[in-house]
Amino acid sequence: MNRPVLLVIAHGSRDPRHAATVQALVRRAGALRPGLRVETAFLDFNLPSVPGVLDRLAADGVRDVVALPLLLTRAFHAKADIPAVLRQAPPSLRIRQAEVLGPSPLLIEAVERRLYEAGLTPGDKSATGVVLASAGSTDPEAIAVIAETARELRRTGWCSVRPAFASASLPRTEDAVRALRTDPGVRRVAVAPYVIAPGRLPDRIAAGAAEADVLADVLGPSPELAALLLERYDGAHAARRPVAHSA
């Protein structure tokens, strides 16, 4: 049986670094699974669009697609925007929507990779406070997942971990940095952007990290994220629950 096509759906951004980073991540995931057809589409700002890719897949004779939201939490885009656009797909396509990327231990590993690449070592953990800085959301479920992710990161041995948000929610990155300075045992403060690709909100996180000692990079095309894309693909493939098309 032919494997379903993996369609990775990213939000999109006016910042060209966003699409370039998404494409690099998708290429890395594809390289881990030779023979798997992997496509990328964007909800907004960038091409190819989701409808455009779905039409092309149908024209190519593809029948099965796993649509993977390139999102860290299950907020509005995963709950509303992506299902809505998938329901408009050509009726010849059987589409399953995969789970969003978070939460996952692989994301914790990716965050730590970026912190180490920024100059920290495992030996620094016990004296380092970390701001886990995400884009932000008004969705309570998404906020709860970020808070739990911060707790999971803390359990790996960091002195203290506080979540922060670039928009929609509080605290902001700079406020979390200042708060960590007062936590017992914290001798240095690091900011770990919990975002996939560069753009306006990650730039806001970086600006808020001005008083931190260390600023890590975005998660980007890390090996952990690439492996997680395939993990979510495999889970959706095994579930075999197609999304409904519009009438």
Side-chain angles (χ1 to χ4, degrees), residues 3-6 29-30 33-38 230 233:
R3 288 179 288 185
V5 170
L6 169 57
R33 191 72 61 86
L36 174 65
R37 181 171 175 178
V38 184
L230 296 178
Y233 168 84

Side-chain angles (χ1 to χ4, degrees), residues 141-161:
E141 179 184 349
I143 297 301
V145 168
I146 297 298
E148 178 56 30
T149 301
R151 288 190 289 270
E152 288 295 326
L153 183 61
R154 167 69 182 82
R155 292 183 189 112
T156 68
W158 298 96
C159 182
S160 182
V161 179

Side-chain angles (χ1 to χ4, degrees), residues 28 109-121 214-219 221-224:
R28 187 162 202 168
E109 293 175 23
V111 168
E112 292 201 298
R113 172 185 292 275
R114 295 306 188 218
L115 287 166
Y116 297 150
E117 289 173 349
L120 296 172
T121 70
V214 174
L215 171 61
D217 200 359
V218 299
L219 300 177
S222 66
E224 295 83 5

Side-chain angles (χ1 to χ4, degrees), residues 150-209:
R151 288 190 289 270
E152 288 295 326
L153 183 61
R154 167 69 182 82
R155 292 183 189 112
T156 68
W158 298 96
C159 182
S160 182
V161 179
R162 289 175 179 256
F165 306 94
S167 69
S169 313
L170 295 174
R172 295 287 182 257
T173 302
E174 54 268 33
D175 297 324
V177 169
R178 294 178 190 126
L180 275 176
R181 296 285 186 199
T182 68
D183 281 9
V186 171
R187 294 201 292 272
R188 72 182 64 79
V189 174
V191 173
Y194 193 62
V195 293
I196 294 172
R200 178 175 58 87
L201 294 180
D203 283 349
R204 189 178 295 174
I205 290 171

